[in-house]
Amino acid sequence: MTRRLATIWLVTVFLVGIASLSIQAQDDEVFNASLKGISAVFVWVEPLPSGAKELGLSEEIIQTDVELKLRLAGMRVVKQEEGVKLPGSPYVYVRVTVTDGAGVADINVNLRQNVLLARNRQFALAAETWSKGFLMVLPTSQRIRVEVKDLVDKFLNAWLSVNSKK
């Protein structure tokens, strides 16, 4: 019963999101500006739930897909050990959540980096400064991988909009 309620809830959220596109709108210019000057990142894929693994996904597959996309666009991809030494320690964070039984998948790609808060100049560790997500019903491994790549493309378009490609 709990799984059924969770699935109904996720589908409802998805439908409300589609019906009210204005809720999803964000000031892309402000978020994109936070990407200016980033020349390298590391990628962190959150551990996948059992529902994603049932579909045949692994963190390694998603990591490889994301890193390849970034490199092809001219972004330097480094290991986490090197990435935490970069100014701001920017990293692309990927989260794929799949319900048990693989009824619904929630996919998020965001850029996190260390920032200084304007109000008090306090350091904030790993603040999310750019984010996009996608919710899908009846996901497959291939559809999830395609959506992750599409969200990475959106990130790269935002990054390229504020950084000249060399």
Side-chain angles (χ1 to χ4, degrees), residues 69-115:
K69 275 280 196 193
L70 295 171
R71 285 187 178 106
L72 288 173
M75 172 77 73
R76 190 165 65 97
V77 178
V78 298
K79 297 290 182 199
Q80 183 175 357
E81 298 76 27
E82 184 181 348
V84 297
K85 297 174 187 172
L86 295 170
S89 303
Y91 65 96
V92 174
Y93 178 79
V94 181
R95 186 182 78 231
V96 176
T97 306
V98 180
T99 58
D100 290 337
V104 178
D106 179 36
I107 305 162
N108 288 278
V109 172
N110 58 64
L111 187 282
R112 295 181 180 188
Q113 59 186 318
N114 301 336
V115 298

Side-chain angles (χ1 to χ4, degrees), residues 44-50 52-53 58-59 62 93-97:
W44 183 32
V45 177
E46 184 175 288
L48 297 176
S50 60
K53 292 178 181 178
S58 71
E59 290 92 357
I62 294 171
Y93 178 79
V94 181
R95 186 182 78 231
V96 176
T97 306

Side-chain angles (χ1 to χ4, degrees), residues 6-161:
T7 302
I8 291 170
W9 179 82
L10 283 172
V11 170
T12 302
V13 168
F14 174 71
L15 293 174
V16 167
I18 288 174
S20 55
L21 293 175
S22 62
I23 291 173
Q24 295 177 1
Q26 64 182 13
D27 186 353
D28 285 338
E29 214 172 279
V30 171
F31 291 99
N32 293 357
S34 74
L35 306 177
K36 188 167 182 65
I38 294 175
S39 60
V41 296
F42 65 93
V43 175
W44 183 32
V45 177
E46 184 175 288
L48 297 176
S50 60
K53 292 178 181 178
E54 289 171 19
L55 294 173
L57 285 174
S58 71
E59 290 92 357
E60 294 78 18
I61 289 170
I62 294 171
Q63 181 100 18
T64 300
D65 287 347
V66 172
E67 288 182 358
L68 179 60
K69 275 280 196 193
L70 295 171
R71 285 187 178 106
L72 288 173
M75 172 77 73
R76 190 165 65 97
V77 178
V78 298
K79 297 290 182 199
Q80 183 175 357
E81 298 76 27
E82 184 181 348
V84 297
K85 297 174 187 172
L86 295 170
S89 303
Y91 65 96
V92 174
Y93 178 79
V94 181
R95 186 182 78 231
V96 176
T97 306
V98 180
T99 58
D100 290 337
V104 178
D106 179 36
I107 305 162
N108 288 278
V109 172
N110 58 64
L111 187 282
R112 295 181 180 188
Q113 59 186 318
N114 301 336
V115 298
L116 289 178
L117 301 176
R119 72 176 172 279
N120 59 13
R121 305 296 292 163
Q122 291 292 316
F123 179 77
L125 183 66
E128 184 178 292
T129 61
W130 185 94
S131 180
K132 295 283 183 193
F134 188 81
L135 190 64
M136 86 173 52
V137 179
L138 301 176
T140 64
S141 175
Q142 189 60 33
R143 284 185 60 215
I144 289 172
R145 290 179 69 193
V146 166
E147 283 307 323
V148 168
K149 291 175 194 176
D150 285 349
L151 292 173
V152 172
D153 280 341
K154 288 178 182 178
F155 164 73
L156 288 167
N157 287 337
W159 175 71
L160 288 168
S161 76

